[in-house]
């Protein structure tokens, strides 16, 4: 079979590599990407006084139409017509925010995802960089002193003199002086310690964790007259060297008061030290790499062998608990030895903390962490540490793919199949794919790992674009859990509790609890009842803004929309007929939790889903509860399926395996298989064997049978045949146009016009576009979300290049074909969800 020409990698191999940019000596004209929705870059001239400060990777303030906007310097301008050129107004950064090596990556993303270059960069940089406007500057005593000397230039003198009469908002300085003052000059004054800049918002959000540490003073005064607890403290320090406050408190509860006195009297020295804690609040100890088993060793050798030999991608398939993370760490260590940096992507925050913990115990402080759970200030700090080369490993969620390393030697994507690598707003990129692209552009190794790899990646391995590696044994040969299927059709006759907590599951829960072990119950739907039916008129209760039925939430006593967040009191009458007789049907995690409570009144039951984890720190608290065995039964959605490692969970119950099978999406089977196999993998990770009870209405569906047998290969072969027969990815590529608007008629018309334009374009160049298929416009499966009516057009093609050229041409024709003020069109390249 001929398989090339239909693959993810082909596109960028053929796309032009953008020029690398060095700033010329005089910086008189620069190329700027502005942070607005336009697809090309602009040339600006740089006034003399700003030239010393202009450099690739810095932000500038530039006039754009009637506005002033932020732009990013991409380098000196190549060609320009001097007539129409506007001036840069200011240079905003003292140091570049990215290196020129990143520009080709940004450019690639902009071309491939059809997203304006300036917005790509804005998306890549840590947020919150616009706080600039609120800076206040104050003169320091040193500044007052230098003002009396002649060590400064006239502009600096003017600024300091102004500040000498009182603090000033930074963006008022130029106006007050009636003289342009570059931000870069202000920054150099600040660096010299002549002025202080305060950022109200940012200062408040930066909180590194610091702790007091104590050590014995040298020389030590006489000990004889000290009280017993004081002697005890000094004894601990004599034994252990430097010890933290929290550690001391464990031994001597009153330590806080005592150390203050001891310090005063010269018995000990104190210093503040930054501390890193694991997500459970425990200090991280350095670890020693374990001896790899034979399988791991083989894999590590093969990857390490490819380091420094150009671009290649490995797909590491290893069952849950087979030691993939250990492989990542050992390959990372080898990469660092070669003077290169490592990027580690993990699908979600709870898992990042787990990965961070293991990497930190191995690599110490060389780690930067990037994810959305950090405040803007914290994220900016992490970003700066990378730029300053204080960190050479970045761990994070999808946005960490933009970490500004100049020399990447390895990109790692853990749980590479996970759909959360796809960003579903603004810049719609897939970080898993970008990890391969970045490796390609850097000529280095990409390592994708999963127990249940995506069909896409497996296909790439099959086509020999990726090198497949396997770990078939769990560490210490722990067996995979035994999976029993329960046919839910047989319990249709049951009423109430027994319908979903079937007798077999109930007995298994009881046995597990009796043994003092923990239970995980999985259901991929939150809430209490998934729909609410009016008993008078028979209508389901729907969201006011979406075409979606509302879910009943018991704790909130409200009907909620899971798409837009709309909420309405459960006591309110039917919105069709006004009747108050509304019946709540179906199930969700909240109902399972309540049911389990009734069946096992002595068990400690907790629930983990989006409703219980919206507060910061809630996830960690739940995970800690599991770890410390303060939770006997955890009920949860797919949040519980991912990667967690809790050795005392020996029973996993899958309440209803079918929910994701019915998604109107060609990936429904893949998603179901991955979810079931992952959740099953949570059982039996410790020394006791695990058991899984999988309840389903479709016991003979191949995704479910393959999950039962943990047989990835048989799943892959069935699924790939299905994809091939219907010409779905990976045999074709897709680009989806998502059309939405608040006016149903206008939106439909716009969708139809856009469809017509697609067809005209296809016929206008039928030879180039013969492989491009245009499907739609059709109304989306979710016809209305958050008051917007939704339509879609799917472009599909066997040849990535033709498909992409088609979309680019469509976009270039006339941008207003796409957007106007009433209807929005979003381009989704390689869509993950077609809803
Ligand atoms: P995975 O990432 O595939 O789920 P992990 O890397 O988390 O697997 O390994 C599972 C467990 O086995 C972890 O507790 C890890 O510390 C341990 N482990 C991994 N490799 C080894 C080894 N070579 N020797 C001993 N223990 C190991
Ligand atoms: Zn809604
Ligand atoms: Zn009604």
């Amino acid at each position: 079979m001929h398989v090339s020409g239909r693959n993810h990698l082909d596109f960028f191999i053929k796309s032009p590599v953008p020029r690398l940019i060095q700033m010329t000596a005089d910086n008189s004209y620069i190329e700027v990407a502005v942070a607005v929705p336009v697809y090309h870059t602009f040339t600006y001239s740089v006034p003399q006084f700003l030239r010393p400060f202009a450099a690739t990777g810095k932000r500038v303030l530039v006039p754009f139409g009637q506005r002033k906007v932020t732009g990013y310097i991409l380098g000196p301008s190549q060609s320009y017509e001097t007539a129409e050129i506007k001036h840069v107004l200011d240079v905003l950064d003292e140091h570049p925010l990215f290196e020129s090596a990143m520009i080709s990556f940004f450019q690639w993303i902009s071309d491939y995802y059809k997203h304006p270059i300036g917005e790509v960069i804005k998306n890549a940089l840590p947020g919150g960089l616009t706080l600039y406007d609120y800076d206040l500057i104050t003169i320091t005593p040193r500044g007052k002193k230098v003002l009396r000397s002649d060590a400064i230039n006239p502009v600096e003198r003017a600024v300091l003199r102004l500040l000498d009469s009182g603090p000033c908002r930074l963006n008022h300085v130029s106006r007050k002086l009636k003289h342009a003052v570059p931000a870069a000059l202000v920054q150099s004054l600040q660096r010299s310690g002549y002025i202080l800049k305060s950022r109200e918002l940012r200062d408040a959000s930066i909180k590194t964790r610091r702790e007091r540490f104590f050590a014995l003073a040298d020389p030590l005064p006489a000990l004889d007259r000290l009280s017993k607890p004081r002697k005890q403290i000094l004894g601990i320090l004599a034994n252990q060297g430097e010890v933290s406050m929290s550690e001391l408190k464990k031994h001597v509860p009153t330590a806080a008061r005592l150390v203050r006195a001891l310090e005063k009297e010269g018995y000990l020295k104190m210093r503040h030290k930054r501390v890193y804690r694991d997500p459970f609040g425990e200090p991280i100890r350095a670890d020693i790499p374990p001896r790899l088993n034979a399988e791991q060793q083989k894999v590590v050798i093969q990857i390490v062998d490819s380091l420094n030999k150009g671009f290649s991608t490995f797909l590491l398939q290893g069952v849950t608990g087979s030691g993939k993370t250990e492989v990542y760490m050992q390959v990372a260590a080898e990469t660092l030895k070669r003077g290169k940096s490592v990027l580690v992507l993990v699908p979600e925050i709870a898992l990042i903390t787990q990965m961070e913990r293991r990497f930190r115990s191995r690599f110490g402080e060389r780690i930067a962490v990037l994810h959305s759970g950090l405040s803007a200030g914290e994220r900016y700090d992490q970003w700066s540490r990378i730029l300053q080369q204080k960190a050479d490993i970045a761990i994070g969620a999808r946005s960490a793919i933009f970490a500004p390393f100049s020399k990447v030697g390895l990109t790692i994507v853990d749980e590479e199949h996970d759909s959360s690598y796809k960003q579903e707003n603004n810049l719609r990129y897939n970080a898993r794919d970008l990890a391969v692209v970045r490796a390609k552009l850097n000529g280095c190794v990409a390592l994708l790992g999963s127990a249940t790899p995506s069909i896409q990646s497996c296909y790439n391995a099959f086509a020999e674009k990726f090198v497949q590696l396997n770990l078939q044994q769990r560490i210490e040969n722990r067996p995979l859990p035994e999976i029993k299927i329960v046919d839910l059709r047989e319990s249709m006759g049951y009423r109430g509790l027994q319908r979903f907590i079937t007798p077999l599951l109930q007995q298994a829960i009881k046995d597990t609890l009796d043994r003092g072990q923990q239970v995980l119950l999985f259901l991929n739907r939150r809430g209490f009842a998934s729909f609410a039916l009016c008993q008078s008129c028979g209508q389901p209760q729907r969201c006011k803004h979406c075409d979606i039925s509302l879910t009943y939430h018991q704790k909130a006593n409200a009907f909620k929309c899971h798409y837009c967040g709309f909420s309405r009191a459960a006591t309110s009458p039917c919105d069709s007929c006004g009747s108050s007789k509304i019946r709540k049907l179906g199930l969700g995690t909240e109902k399972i939790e309540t049911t389990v409570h009734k069946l096992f009144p002595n068990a400690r039951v907790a629930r983990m889903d989006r409703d219980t984890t919206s507060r910061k720190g809630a996830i960690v608290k739940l995970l800690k509860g599991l770890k410390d065995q303060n939770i006997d039964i955890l009920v949860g959605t797919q949040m519980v399926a991912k990667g967690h490692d809790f050795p005392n969970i020996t029973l996993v119950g899958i309440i209803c395996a079918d929910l994701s099978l019915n998604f109107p999406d060609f990936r429904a089977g893949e998603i179901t298989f991955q979810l079931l196999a992952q959740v099953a993998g949570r059982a039996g990770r410790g020394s006791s064997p695990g058991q899984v009870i999988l309840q389903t209405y479709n016991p003979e569906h191949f995704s479910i049978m393959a999950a039962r047998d943990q047989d990835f290969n048989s799943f892959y072969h069935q699924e790939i045949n299905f994809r091939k027969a219907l010409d779905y990815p990976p045999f074709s590529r897709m680009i989806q146009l998502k059309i939405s608007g608040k006016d149903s008629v206008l939106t439909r018309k716009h969708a139809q016009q856009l469809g017509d334009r697609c067809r005209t374009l296809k016929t206008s160049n039928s030879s180039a576009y013969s492989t491009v298929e245009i499907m739609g416009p059709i109304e989306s499966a979710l016809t209305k979300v958050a008051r917007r009516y939704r339509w879609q057009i799917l472009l599909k093609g066997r040849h990535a290049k033709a498909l992409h050229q088609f979309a680019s041409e469509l976009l270039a024709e006339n941008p207003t074909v796409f957007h106007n003020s009433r209807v929005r069109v979003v381009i989704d390249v390689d869509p993950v969800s077609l809803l």
Side-chain angles (χ1 to χ4, degrees):
M1 190 173 75
H2 179 70
V3 286
S4 66
R6 298 168 199 162
N7 196 276
H8 257 73
L9 294 179
D10 285 345
F11 184 75
F12 69 78
I13 290 167
K14 285 167 197 150
S15 66
V17 176
R19 59 199 186 281
L20 264 189
I21 294 156
Q22 293 288 314
M23 295 298 285
T24 49
D26 78 335
N27 284 347
S28 44
Y29 292 94
I30 56 171
E31 202 63 21
V32 173
V34 287
V36 294
V38 290
Y39 284 83
H40 47 95
T41 57
F42 295 88
T43 299
Y44 285 89
S45 75
V46 185
Q48 191 77 42
F49 76 102
L50 285 175
R51 281 182 204 165
F53 305 105
T56 299
K58 291 189 184 185
R59 289 172 306 144
V60 283
L61 192 66
V62 292
F64 190 79
Q66 301 299 312
R67 296 187 291 159
K68 294 174 184 170
V69 301
T70 302
Y72 310 98
I73 305 181
L74 300 185
S77 188
Q78 309 287 340
S79 58
Y80 44 85
E81 289 161 29
T82 39
E84 279 297 301
I85 282 190
K86 293 181 180 163
H87 302 302
V88 169
L89 301 172
D90 204 349
V91 176
L92 302 180
D93 298 300
E94 188 183 3
H95 299 292
L97 293 169
F98 54 87
E99 299 203 19
S100 57
M102 290 292 283
I103 294 172
S104 52
F105 186 49
F106 294 146
Q107 198 80 57
W108 189 93
I109 294 170
S110 170
D111 291 344
Y112 187 82
Y113 290 111
K114 320 274 176 262
H115 202 77
I117 175 82
E119 303 226 309
V120 167
I121 299 175
K122 184 176 163 191
N123 205 291
L125 297 178
L129 288 176
T130 45
L131 297 179
Y132 167 84
D133 280 350
Y134 301 97
D135 283 349
L136 191 75
I137 52 177
T138 324
I139 191 165
T140 63
R142 255 179 95 180
K144 287 183 194 239
K145 211 160 155 196
V146 80
L147 192 53
R148 281 180 258 118
S149 76
D150 49 27
I152 46 175
N153 69 35
V155 186
E156 290 171 335
R157 182 178 301 283
V159 173
L160 291 180
R161 196 171 291 144
L162 172 73
L163 295 180
D164 203 23
S165 63
C168 180
R169 268 179 73 159
L170 186 54
N171 56 342
H172 294 173
V173 174
S174 298
R175 201 191 313 153
K176 284 195 178 163
L177 290 177
K178 300 191 177 65
H179 187 311
V181 178
L185 180 137
V186 173
Q187 278 160 353
S188 89
L189 284 175
Q190 189 190 3
R191 199 160 31 105
S192 308
Y194 300 149
I195 62 170
L196 264 184
K197 197 159 81 174
S198 52
R199 298 189 183 192
E200 300 148 44
L201 285 174
R202 224 190 96 194
D203 282 358
S205 59
I206 300 174
K207 279 205 190 76
T208 53
R209 285 187 223 176
R210 291 174 160 274
E211 207 181 338
R212 285 181 293 162
F213 279 75
F214 302 92
L216 287 184
D218 184 24
L220 201 61
L223 301 181
D224 22 308
R225 285 178 36 232
L226 290 179
S227 66
K228 219 172 138 200
R230 291 189 188 205
K231 276 190 185 147
Q232 196 186 346
I233 289 178
L234 297 179
I236 294 168
L237 298 183
N239 272 330
Q240 302 184 20
E242 199 171 48
V243 174
S244 70
M245 187 72 230
S246 54
E247 188 66 28
L248 279 181
K249 273 190 187 159
K250 279 189 203 153
H251 302 286
V252 186
T254 54
R257 199 166 41 81
L258 299 177
V259 289
R260 217 170 300 140
L262 283 169
E263 190 196 354
K264 224 184 227 159
E265 292 158 26
Y267 287 96
L268 47 78
K269 339 176 263 226
M270 186 272 284
R271 66 168 176 149
H272 285 277
K273 231 166 77 169
R274 179 155 184 189
V275 289
Y276 294 97
R277 280 166 234 200
D278 80 352
F280 305 121
E282 290 158 13
I284 295 174
R285 289 205 184 79
D287 83 333
I288 298 156
R291 273 269 291 268
L292 295 179
N293 65 28
E295 271 191 330
Q296 286 173 314
Q297 194 158 13
K298 206 170 139 221
V299 163
V300 168
I301 287 174
Q302 199 173 345
I303 304 171
V304 169
D305 218 38
S306 304
L307 294 173
N308 275 9
K309 288 194 187 148
F311 166 60
S312 53
T313 304
F314 293 92
L315 176 62
L316 175 60
Q317 182 179 355
V319 292
T320 48
S322 60
K324 294 185 291 297
T325 309
E326 189 54 46
V327 169
Y328 302 154
M329 291 199 290
Q330 302 225 0
V331 179
E334 290 297 322
T335 309
L336 297 183
K337 270 191 207 157
R338 288 162 174 74
K340 301 272 179 68
S341 314
V342 179
L343 252 169
V344 186
L345 303 187
V346 188
E348 60 158 296
I349 297 177
L351 294 178
I352 292 172
T353 42
Q354 192 172 307
M355 185 71 80
E356 178 192 352
R357 173 173 191 225
R358 290 182 65 180
F359 269 72
R360 236 186 240 298
S361 24
R362 186 74 49 91
F363 300 101
E365 307 224 336
R366 300 164 82 171
I367 288 163
V369 182
L370 295 162
H371 59 76
S372 58
L374 303 176
S375 67
E378 286 167 334
R379 233 188 305 183
Y380 182 72
D381 283 353
Q382 297 290 322
W383 190 271
S384 311
R385 289 184 60 230
I386 296 173
L387 283 172
Q388 293 160 19
Q389 299 178 358
K390 288 183 183 157
D392 40 26
I393 300 177
I395 299 176
R398 58 174 180 256
S399 65
I401 189 61
F402 299 112
F405 290 121
S406 50
K407 281 186 287 176
V408 179
L410 174 67
T411 62
I412 296 173
V413 184
D414 190 30
E415 312 283 0
E416 68 89 28
H417 64 278
D418 200 293
S419 58
S420 58
Y421 285 121
K422 176 73 167 34
Q423 174 151 306
E424 294 290 8
N425 54 32
N426 295 325
L427 170 57
R428 291 168 183 259
Y429 65 96
N430 189 320
R432 190 260 327 268
D433 296 344
L434 286 185
V436 177
V437 171
R438 202 161 170 194
K440 166 79 187 164
L441 293 176
N442 282 271
C444 74
V445 169
L447 171 56
L448 315 180
S450 174
T452 53
S454 61
I455 295 287
Q456 176 78 54
S457 295
C458 280
Y459 182 75
N460 283 335
F462 172 71
E464 296 181 356
K465 308 256 166 179
F466 294 178
V467 181
Q468 168 117 29
L469 304 170
N470 290 301
L471 293 176
Q472 270 149 355
Q473 299 295 321
R474 275 187 161 184
I475 292 298
E476 291 164 5
N477 285 329
R478 284 170 195 149
L480 281 167
E482 175 206 0
I483 302 185
K484 278 201 197 114
I485 302 259
V486 173
D487 189 342
L488 280 177
R489 288 171 303 190
E490 286 163 14
S491 59
M492 296 261 242
Y494 291 122
R495 289 243 140 247
L497 304 181
Q498 284 192 322
R499 180 114 179 241
F500 287 101
I501 307 292
T502 57
L504 186 77
L505 179 57
Q506 191 175 341
Q507 186 61 44
I509 296 176
K510 184 175 177 303
D511 295 344
T512 308
L513 295 177
D514 287 347
R515 286 194 304 267
Q517 295 168 340
Q518 292 166 293
V519 178
L520 193 71
L521 296 178
F522 166 77
L523 178 68
N524 206 9
R525 184 187 280 151
R526 63 202 167 93
F528 191 86
S530 45
F531 47 93
L533 212 59
C534 170
Q535 287 194 294
S536 304
C537 72
Q539 287 296 316
Q541 302 300 299
R542 289 180 173 278
C543 174
K544 231 162 91 179
H545 313 307
C546 311
D547 183 24
I548 286 164
S549 33
L550 295 169
T551 302
Y552 175 62
H553 287 243
Q554 188 183 49
K555 188 145 175 261
N557 197 27
F559 295 123
K560 289 187 184 177
C561 169
H562 285 185
Y563 285 84
C564 74
F566 170 78
S567 168
R568 166 179 132 200
T571 47
S572 57
C574 168
D575 54 8
S576 308
C577 75
S579 159
S580 59
K581 277 190 258 161
I582 297 177
R583 240 188 109 187
K584 295 144 194 150
L585 301 167
L587 79 163
T589 43
E590 197 183 6
K591 186 169 195 168
I592 297 295
E593 183 193 12
T594 315
T595 306
V596 168
H597 243 316
K598 279 192 197 135
L599 291 174
F600 301 98
N602 295 325
R604 292 160 301 176
V605 184
R607 172 162 58 96
M608 180 153 137
D609 57 27
R610 202 146 23 108
D611 297 316
T612 62
T613 55
S614 52
R615 257 178 315 113
K616 201 178 169 178
I619 294 184
V620 168
K621 214 171 140 197
L622 278 168
L623 294 178
K624 187 169 162 58
L626 264 189
K627 181 171 177 270
D628 298 346
Q629 300 184 30
N630 292 323
I631 295 174
D632 300 314
I633 304 176
L634 182 72
V635 180
T637 55
Q638 73 267 22
M639 289 180 93
V640 303
K642 298 185 180 179
H644 307 295
D645 189 7
F646 296 106
N648 200 42
I649 294 179
T650 54
L651 174 66
V652 167
I654 296 170
I655 303 293
C656 178
D658 312 286
L659 297 179
S660 55
L661 271 185
N662 301 322
F663 288 166
D665 188 324
F666 72 91
R667 285 198 183 82
E670 179 179 356
I671 293 166
T672 302
F673 171 78
Q674 287 163 347
L675 206 49
L676 297 180
Q678 290 282 343
V679 75
R682 298 309 117 221
R685 295 177 65 91
S687 43
S688 326
Q691 184 192 3
V692 177
I693 293 180
L694 190 161
Q695 308 187 133
T696 174
Y697 288 108
N698 298 283
E700 52 296 298
H701 191 285
F702 78 89
S703 297
I704 289 181
M705 292 194 351
R708 176 196 63 196
D709 302 337
Q710 310 248 339
D711 185 350
F712 182 81
N713 288 336
S714 104
F715 169 73
Y716 174 76
H717 288 296
Q718 295 227 36
E719 180 70 15
I720 202 83
N721 285 332
F722 154 74
R723 301 277 178 96
K724 187 157 190 223
L726 297 174
D727 213 5
Y728 281 140
F731 297 96
S732 65
R733 300 288 207 88
M734 291 178 173
I735 295 178
Q736 193 190 39
L737 307 176
K738 299 177 193 281
I739 304 132
S740 70
K742 288 191 175 163
D743 183 315
S744 75
V745 177
L746 270 182
T747 309
R748 192 190 65 225
K749 266 199 193 143
H750 193 90
Q752 276 154 359
Q753 278 165 5
L754 194 57
D756 293 344
R757 297 199 75 102
C758 288
R759 295 199 163 81
T760 314
L761 181 61
K762 184 173 154 88
T763 37
S764 75
N765 194 347
S766 51
S767 63
Y769 297 143
S770 63
T771 56
V772 176
E773 273 179 79
I774 300 154
M775 300 156 82
I778 56 161
E779 218 169 0
S780 306
L782 300 172
T783 55
K784 188 183 164 200
V785 170
R787 292 195 205 166
R788 300 184 76 88
Y789 294 88
R790 304 163 85 241
W791 285 72
Q792 62 194 41
I793 296 173
L794 191 63
L795 307 175
K796 198 170 114 186
R798 286 172 155 263
H799 296 294
K801 213 179 159 194
L803 182 68
H804 274 261
Q805 200 178 320
F806 185 87
S808 298
E809 199 173 329
L810 196 67
L811 198 64
E813 263 185 355
N814 177 1
T816 55
V817 173
F818 268 80
H819 297 277
N820 61 44
S821 55
R822 315 284 296 274
V823 182
R824 183 162 69 207
V825 180
V826 167
I827 304 180
D828 193 353
V829 176
D830 304 331
V832 161
S833 161
L834 296 178
L835 287 178

